[in-house]
Amino acid sequence: GPLIRLAAMVTVLCLAQYGTLASMVDIWWNTTTYNHGFLVAPVSLWLVWRRRAEVAHLTLTPALGALVLLAGAAGIGFLGEISGVNLLRHVGFVGALMALVPLCLGWDFAARFRFAILFLAFMVPFGDFLIPPLQELTADVSVWMLQLSGLSVYREGLMIELTSGLWEVAEACAGIRFLIANIFVAFLFAYFSYDRLWKWALFMVLAVVIPVLANCVRAYGIMMLAHVSNNALAVGVDHLVYGWVFFSFVMILMLWVGGRFADRTIEDPAMQPVTPSTAPHRSGFAVLLAGSLVLS
């Protein structure tokens, strides 16, 4: 059946791109910023499973037109292989995984469950290039806030010196972990809460702006707390505890405010009737063969 075709094609993809998949899993496992990568596929499957009753109203006819998408993703992956750029390899793999859905299950299914398919993009470990500019922004804003608080501040690059001690805005202080985690959670929250596009867009903009500004406030708060306590607080393990408690509070507050403007709750909306497609039947074997050739 259609699901067997999809499972077969996903298996072929994973075998053909085992090195790329292993590279992504290694990053998910060893880099805390991307630990959420392990959750993406299960969450995507759950998003489909919770609306499984709708599948009975769909015509699962293979869409050979999706071979164009699959070929494009394979091309991106190939460029990554010959250039040694892991990001292109990862984008090519995940793009091919997404293209296999309409290829095996049809455009009706892909349109109905487009969010679950697009959600797979979070599998790509992406965002490290933002660390240097985030470090600079954190240093700029925190120094400005320290000066507003009346402290004498000397800055050289990412080093910030107060009369009570010397600080560095290290990579871990850039806030990239919280930013990506916040976007991941906010994307799911928007899906369950909003029907209007402008609310989606506004909430996702806030999901980027708020954690970036919050990280600047966190850095300022840590330095200020250490300064007024003569380095008795916010310099050891409590530095990390303060940071994660602060970030958790910011995320919960953002979701609470976002929930006040929700169009609906997490429960499924009333199922909309689906008009069965009149697309011609296509051989499942032809889909498997064509897809395998493209991946090869």
Side-chain angles (χ1 to χ4, degrees):
L3 294 180
I4 295 177
R5 286 198 300 267
L6 179 60
M9 289 303 305
V10 170
T11 301
V12 171
L13 172 64
C14 292
L15 292 176
Q17 292 293 310
Y18 176 78
T20 299
L21 178 59
S23 171
M24 284 199 302
V25 171
D26 181 67
I27 295 174
W28 297 344
W29 181 263
N30 293 301
T31 308
T32 54
T33 304
Y34 304 111
N35 288 160
H36 66 272
F38 288 105
L39 300 175
V40 176
V43 170
S44 183
L45 289 173
W46 173 74
L47 291 174
V48 175
W49 176 257
R50 66 190 295 271
R51 296 173 57 187
R52 59 193 179 278
E54 300 178 40
V55 177
H57 296 258
L58 300 174
T59 301
L60 303 182
T61 302
L64 292 179
L67 285 172
V68 176
L69 300 177
L70 183 59
I76 293 173
F78 179 70
L79 289 176
E81 291 287 349
I82 62 177
S83 64
V85 178
N86 278 336
L87 177 60
L88 292 178
R89 295 170 61 205
H90 299 160
V91 170
F93 177 88
V94 175
L97 183 62
M98 296 164 69
L100 289 178
V101 178
L103 177 63
C104 297
L105 303 182
W107 293 120
D108 286 347
F109 183 93
R112 193 68 170 176
F113 296 97
R114 57 188 177 275
F115 179 87
I117 298 172
L118 293 175
F119 188 74
L120 293 173
F122 280 104
M123 294 176 68
V124 179
F126 175 77
D128 283 351
F129 73 96
L130 293 172
I131 292 177
L134 286 175
Q135 286 176 280
E136 288 289 342
L137 179 63
T138 301
D140 290 341
V141 176
S142 58
V143 165
W144 175 70
M145 295 179 72
L146 288 167
Q147 291 173 335
L148 282 181
S149 300
L151 273 63
S152 298
V153 184
Y154 174 75
R155 175 189 172 188
E156 184 172 345
L158 299 176
M159 305 299 296
I160 301 173
E161 185 173 5
L162 306 178
T163 56
S164 57
L166 182 65
W167 297 85
E168 178 187 7
V169 182
E171 288 188 4
C173 302
I176 189 67
R177 294 183 216 172
F178 178 56
L179 174 60
I180 292 179
N182 202 69
I183 292 174
F184 179 81
V185 172
F187 199 59
L188 271 176
F189 180 85
Y191 168 70
F192 286 117
S193 302
Y194 303 127
D195 291 322
R196 296 176 176 85
L197 182 59
W198 70 268
K199 287 188 177 182
W200 268 78
L202 178 60
F203 190 72
M204 293 311 300
V205 168
L206 292 177
V208 174
V209 173
I210 289 176
V212 170
L213 296 180
N215 185 63
C216 297
V217 174
R218 178 195 66 88
Y220 160 77
I222 287 174
M223 289 185 281
M224 195 69 184
L225 186 59
H227 179 77
V228 299
S229 66
N230 198 25
N231 293 321
L233 299 174
V235 293
V237 176
D238 50 339
H239 180 124
L240 300 176
V241 173
Y242 166 80
W244 282 110
V245 169
F246 178 77
F247 281 149
S248 298
F249 172 76
V250 170
M251 181 179 288
I252 292 172
L253 180 62
M254 188 187 75
L255 295 178
W256 179 79
V257 173
R260 306 294 293 177
F261 301 95
D263 295 321
R264 49 191 162 82
T265 62
I266 194 172
E267 287 79 16
D268 275 327
M271 186 179 69
Q272 299 298 320
V274 179
T275 302
S277 172
T278 57
H281 173 72
R282 297 185 176 93
S283 168
F285 177 76
V287 170
L288 291 175
L289 179 60
S292 298
L293 288 174
V294 170
L295 291 176
S296 299

